[in-house]
Amino acid sequence: MLLAFDTSSAAVTVALASPDGEILASSTTVDALRHGELLAPAIADAFASAGVTPRDLTRIAVGVGPGPFTGLRVGLVTARTMADVLGIEVAGVCSLDILARQSSLTLPVAVATDARRKEIYWALYDGPAADGSRRRLEGPAVDRPAEVAHVLAGLPVIGRGAVLYADALGVSDVAVAEYPSAEVLAVGVATGTLEVVAPDPLYLRRPDVTMSAGPKSVLPK
């Protein structure tokens, strides 16, 4: 049994899946200020809905960001604590990869999520492979929308950042998915169509902390 959740955005999203990726229960609540209050009850509700217990879990998948650190930390600490107590594996996945996987478009896409402070987290992806997976071509990074508008130009853009800053980004084709989906995370990890990384946060260094001439990477050094 696989438990998946992501708290890297304003959404708290949880899914429970069978080992082959069949979704048994899921929920999503958008509330940027209550990750700590919402995650544990959502996980408990998923167990109750599916009629299973934590002892039935064999793996946990968690979005590792990039995202505002307070909310992101809630998911990562929960995932690592549960995995340690249960003695099971925890798989991390870049939250931008989850959003890219949500797109049904057959073209290359960009992902842009809300980094707050009038910035976006962004990444570029190739068109989907036969199994639906997408290869990340550039990013993740964090910048002001106007500074990377030329990079995203001509691509469909997915994510909350695209909705908030469509004019600054100069995009007219904004995909409907705004937040990472735990269902997509669960299926992607179960089927091996999302790249798994260590369950460590993708940290952000703000421009007032580290000056950079180019996009500021959020990948750990």
Side-chain angles (χ1 to χ4, degrees):
M1 197 71 63
L2 171 67
L3 174 65
F5 47 88
D6 184 283
T7 60
S8 67
S9 69
V12 175
T13 179
V14 175
L16 196 62
S18 65
D20 61 358
E22 178 188 358
I23 301 299
L24 305 176
S26 66
S27 68
T28 297
T29 302
V30 179
D31 190 328
L33 301 178
R34 299 177 61 221
H35 294 79
E37 299 173 47
L38 294 171
L39 181 57
I43 292 172
D45 288 347
F47 286 138
S49 179
V52 300
T53 73
R55 290 295 174 186
D56 294 311
L57 294 180
T58 56
R59 199 177 192 190
I60 294 173
V62 63
V64 300
F69 188 67
T70 300
L72 182 61
R73 180 174 55 187
V74 170
L76 290 169
V77 169
T78 300
R80 296 172 78 161
T81 300
M82 289 183 67
D84 186 58
V85 170
L86 297 170
I88 60 176
E89 176 190 0
V90 55
V93 173
C94 173
S95 299
L96 302 188
D97 292 0
I98 303 169
L99 266 166
R101 184 71 171 79
Q102 286 168 229
S103 174
S104 60
L105 298 173
T106 58
L107 304 170
V109 298
V111 172
T113 61
D114 184 17
R116 302 179 183 174
R117 302 187 187 183
K118 298 182 179 180
E119 293 182 328
I120 57 169
Y121 303 111
W122 62 274
L124 305 182
Y125 295 84
D126 206 348
D131 60 4
S133 62
R134 288 182 182 268
R135 182 168 57 98
R136 194 184 327 133
L137 302 174
E138 189 171 349
V142 57
D143 280 284
R144 294 190 181 278
E147 295 175 356
V148 291
H150 67 288
V151 179
L152 279 57
L155 293 174
V157 186
I158 303 162
R160 181 63 179 168
V163 175
L164 292 173
Y165 303 110
D167 290 342
L169 289 170
V171 298
S172 57
D173 191 357
V174 178
V176 294
E178 294 188 37
Y179 307 109
S181 163
E183 291 191 10
V184 172
L185 171 59
V187 173
V189 170
T191 60
T193 53
L194 280 172
E195 180 183 1
V196 170
V197 297
D200 299 319
L202 294 182
Y203 284 114
L204 163 68
R205 289 189 180 274
R206 292 288 182 182
D208 58 347
V209 175
T210 301
M211 299 301 295
S212 172
K216 299 168 284 295
S217 176
V218 295
L219 289 170
K221 299 298 184 182

